[in-house]
Amino acid sequence: MSSVQRNQPCPCGSGKKYKKCCGASQGARKPVGGSPRERTPFAGVPGSPVELSLPMALHGQNQYIVFEPLPGPIPVGGGEPGTYKVVFTLGRPGFPQRPEGKFTCEQNLEGDSHLYVRLKPETVEIMFSLQTPEGVFDFHGVPNRFGHLGKLWTEHVVAKDYHDAERIAWTALSPTLSWLSVQLDIPLFVEQVDVIDRHTGGQMMKVLLAYRTIGMSVAPVHAGTPEFQYYASLYRDAVCTNSALYQFLCLYKILDAVFARRSRASRVGGSTDRPKPTNPLEIVPADESAFKPWMNAIFPTAVRLAWSQMHFDSVCRPEARGKEFSAVSDAYLLPIRNRIAHALIGSGELGYSIDNASDLQKVFHWLPLLKCMVRRTLKNEFPKEFMPGWRDDGSFDTAQEEKQKAEWSSLFRKA
């Protein structure tokens, strides 16, 4: 590992000093404030990863992107074969780099971590090379204004598209992050990934959509059965984590447990009011017209959006459309769960890395749909406890509304 001083020749080979070449755009930047100027549709399920393509006009500008429930699809390009730059912006868990619900490209983010890298006052960057089966990659580490490692980036990544470039760069970098984490006993959390097409200047960001602020539209009194509480507690743990892998495992466990509950009920002659496993609502919507009421029935009013083709594409993956939940689970979700879970809880020696880029991409791919499948099965399995009063078309039962108003009047005192 080496550091590049400001007055040294730039390692890119341009012949210029580092401070007047690649180093000119890598200084520490303060997070951007002010009111947002650029708005784009809220494209996905809250708490799930989302990818967003940015036009070149946004690069380097001091502005945030705000996700809003706007109608109409906006295509998110996948990039073309060529050379890419990949930037990993680090963050301290629990201390996000930007205001909640607002996003910006990496050029406006400073990054942060628990790793201090400014060992000399004049150090503006560290450099190290990583050998992988796909080649050698030079990574640049940029400290923030406090000297903590804020970003790691590599360029000249030859890939077929944005996703391939991210996979190649992550495969190279993640073992080093894990090595430093276990040696130094610190978290090294990647908060945002930006992939930049070196030819066109196009840019893709991968971020987590923030949860929306929502009014307390249900009584804060737990009236469910102990069995339902098992499911509710695991769901809450899933949405509280920053780990997509752990969230996937928690949500999959809920879905699998519902299937097991039904299987047990069928063996012992369960109650007649329990939905059958082939419930027509437990089929992934095949088109946008079926998607909208399907989503409205499983999310509270404040979360509901002007569901568009873009939301449909991000949740209902083409290979799953029109298929029963059980078929989707067996074909796509179960193999991912087995690879991750067996590595964590299986006996014997380790033979799998959590840093596996291909599995991470699969988790990101299926996580939004898995979350919706879980909410749909909970609504079918526990109709009196999960979102009571909401009909399958997304409308609300007025009789249930009057009952809830009576509950509220006994819970809150007027000032």
Side-chain angles (χ1 to χ4, degrees), residues 257-267 269-283 325 374-386 392:
V258 169
F259 291 158
R261 185 177 191 265
R262 291 173 179 174
S263 178
R264 170 178 58 81
S266 64
R267 291 195 303 268
S271 59
T272 57
D273 61 346
R274 182 169 298 141
K276 296 180 180 180
T278 54
N279 189 299
L281 292 172
E282 293 188 10
I283 296 177
F325 286 6
V374 165
R375 294 186 67 85
R376 180 70 257 182
T377 53
L378 288 178
K379 183 172 177 61
N380 291 343
E381 199 72 3
F382 301 95
K384 296 180 180 179
E385 297 165 285
F386 182 78
D392 289 330

Side-chain angles (χ1 to χ4, degrees), residues 222-233 378 382 385-387:
H222 171 56
T225 63
E227 185 179 16
F228 178 72
Q229 180 59 23
Y230 300 154
Y231 293 85
S233 63
L378 288 178
F382 301 95
E385 297 165 285
F386 182 78
M387 295 186 67

Side-chain angles (χ1 to χ4, degrees), residues 155-168:
E155 52 188 348
H156 309 305
V157 178
V158 179
K160 60 184 180 181
D161 55 28
Y162 288 127
H163 302 94
D164 192 41
E166 180 195 2
R167 178 192 62 80
I168 293 172

Side-chain angles (χ1 to χ4, degrees), residues 10 58 70 83 99 118-119 193 203 287 304 324 328 398-399 409:
C10 187
L58 285 180
L70 301 177
T83 304
R118 187 170 289 153
L119 303 181
V193 182
Q203 184 163 341
D287 53 50
R304 296 177 187 177
E324 295 183 2
V328 174
T398 54
S409 63

Side-chain angles (χ1 to χ4, degrees), residues 343-359:
L344 296 177
I345 63 177
S347 60
E349 298 183 34
L350 286 173
Y352 174 81
S353 172
I354 294 297
D355 295 329
N356 186 293
S358 297
D359 284 344

